[in-house]
Amino acid sequence: MGSGVAGLSAALAAAEAGAAVTLLESTSTVGGTTALSGGVAWLPANDLAAAAGFPDTPEDARTYLRGLALGDIDEELVDTFVAEAGDTASWVQRVTGHGWVALGYPDYHCELPGGREGGRSLEPLPFTPTAELAAQVRPALSWRLPMTQHEIIANTLNRDVLTRRRDEGVLTMGAAVVGSLLAAVLRLGVDVRVEAPVASLRRDGERVVGVTLDSGEPVDGAVVLCTGGFERDPSLARAFLRHPSPAPTGAPGATGSGLRMAMAAGAALGNMSEAWWCPAMAIPGEEIEGKPLHRLLLAERARPGSIMVDGRGQRFANEAQNYNDVGRSLHDFDPGAFAFPRDPSWLIVDNGYRAAYPLGPLLPGEPDPDWLVRADSVEELAVAIDVEPDRLVATVSGFNAAALVGDDPAFGRGRSAYDRFVGDRRLDQPNLRPLTQGPFFAVRVLPGTLGTKGGPRTDVDGRVRHVEGGVVEGLFAAGNAAASPLGMAYPGAGGTIGPALVFGRRAGACAASG
């Protein structure tokens, strides 16, 4: 159930093992949130990294992940992940016949023991599907160019190449992951069905023996839940998440159907308050299949000439940090005010930034849209965004004084390799510059999520654990439909897709074994 990277890798492994496989997708296209993503997989100690000059070991990866866990980790799952990540990177290339490349993308906390400044994040090469296959893949978001992460990192974008790719229907990033995996599962005879929502699990006693579709049709076999998270279901979000209404950036099918079925079968749950958090922005009117769509704020926060403040006009984090940690910081609760003071927050930039860098979909030189707040002075901007003017002026002045000498003693912005990597690396100071060039602009920042990371707990083979001990026979889970094998950790770019590949593969192989 589900056709993102976890479902496709599970189907591929099961078919490779000789099983008859049916892949059920509730929406009209294949790929889920994976197809909308950057398509990067965090897979430590892989051969591509070694060949690209990024030596690594499973032992160092294990040390790094334990340092990120903050006590919330399943040691057995982590050991399995780091032991098999490299082999899975080789496997996905072998079974799809499609190549991947190692990126010079630093781990999000590369300064910790075992961290690396590149090589663990992999992405697929551009993939050219047949017209028939392309029609089955969830289309990339309308504003996304057919570029690769490597081209973005190396700043080697070529308009002629992008035009050719668009004309030829070439897929990149997450769509390339989905396209290459889908082509492979179809070659192996997997029965791929879209618009096939599942109503319930079918059981023989306590054992899961199949599903019943909304249409009433039964489908027999072991069941692998790969339906994504539950961020698109308001009742589940209110029940479990630390912030009651996160702004989702992913596909519309993440409504928690797999979670509800697992709960009904007696599954033990884990990580239920956690998600792949992010700061997000909303463009009025943007939707995906009739549901609101939000945009991840990534490099916008890291570039010089910008700061981020809360509803009180104060900075509260290193803006250039990875989006998961900044996103988590947006959930701060003020018991005195009985409010979430960082919802909303504001990304503030000066005119020098506005003239040099994109801001969401807005390019330098384009007219200012209605959703962009503009004012001639910091005081006037504070009034426009309902922030105390004196406090915002003090915040900007304090930041400017430190940025002038190339430092941020309050939050350490620009000190880590990751910060500098996502900033403007053409400059001596990739992340810091005083905000002095009026007019000034503000974009509302919302607590967002790429997807939830809680669900049924699983063993190393993806078997769903029962709340009373043992496992739910015949039921498996992987990807965002399962409790994350990495606990609270978000190790680096591709920290969602990498474990989904490893444990989707294991779940599919185990389900096929009977």
Side-chain angles (χ1 to χ4, degrees), residues 307 309-314 346-349 373-396 439-443:
I307 62 169
V309 300
D310 61 19
R312 299 167 294 197
Q314 299 172 323
W346 298 91
L347 177 65
I348 295 175
V349 307
V373 183
R374 172 179 171 148
D376 290 332
S377 69
V378 173
E379 294 91 338
E380 292 174 2
L381 188 70
V383 172
I385 62 176
D386 196 24
V387 166
E388 173 59 43
D390 289 345
R391 188 172 291 169
L392 184 60
V393 169
T395 296
V396 173
F440 299 89
F441 305 88
V443 174

Side-chain angles (χ1 to χ4, degrees), residues 57-202:
T57 67
E59 291 74 25
D60 279 353
R62 188 180 298 109
T63 297
Y64 175 63
L65 289 172
R66 285 175 175 160
L68 292 178
L70 299 178
D72 179 20
I73 198 168
D74 186 317
E75 297 279 358
E76 190 177 17
L77 292 180
V78 168
D79 288 347
T80 299
F81 172 67
V82 298
E84 297 202 2
D87 182 67
T88 296
S90 300
W91 170 79
V92 73
Q93 294 176 89
R94 174 178 58 80
V95 294
T96 63
H98 188 68
W100 289 54
V101 62
L103 300 175
Y105 212 122
D107 289 342
Y108 287 165
H109 292 277
C110 58
E111 70 281 359
L112 293 180
R116 289 289 187 274
E117 293 192 12
R120 288 174 171 169
S121 296
L122 309 180
E123 78 160 332
L125 297 171
F127 177 76
T128 305
T130 64
E132 182 181 6
L133 185 81
Q136 298 177 66
V137 176
R138 174 173 290 283
L141 299 170
S142 59
W143 62 80
R144 176 165 286 169
L145 298 172
M147 54 194 175
T148 68
Q149 293 285 348
H150 178 74
E151 289 166 341
I152 296 171
I153 291 168
N155 196 29
T156 58
L157 298 177
N158 182 296
R159 289 190 177 277
D160 291 338
V161 171
L162 297 180
T163 299
R164 177 183 58 77
R165 286 178 184 163
R166 273 193 163 161
D167 291 344
E168 296 177 0
V170 175
L171 304 179
T172 59
M173 298 198 210
V177 176
V178 171
S180 59
L181 286 169
L182 177 59
V185 301
L186 290 172
R187 284 196 299 270
L188 290 179
V190 173
D191 179 12
V192 178
R193 305 189 198 179
V194 297
E195 297 184 315
V198 173
S200 62
L201 298 175
R202 297 174 54 241

Side-chain angles (χ1 to χ4, degrees), residues 201 225 256-269 455-456 464-465 472 475 477 481:
L201 298 175
L225 301 173
S257 59
L259 172 62
R260 293 179 186 277
M261 291 177 202
M263 292 168 66
L269 303 181
V464 170
R465 298 182 185 274
V472 181
L475 187 63

Side-chain angles (χ1 to χ4, degrees), residues 17 50 53 75 102 119 128 204 231 241-242 252 278 327 439:
E75 297 279 358
T128 305
D204 181 2
E231 66 273 13
L241 295 182
R242 64 174 70 218
C278 69

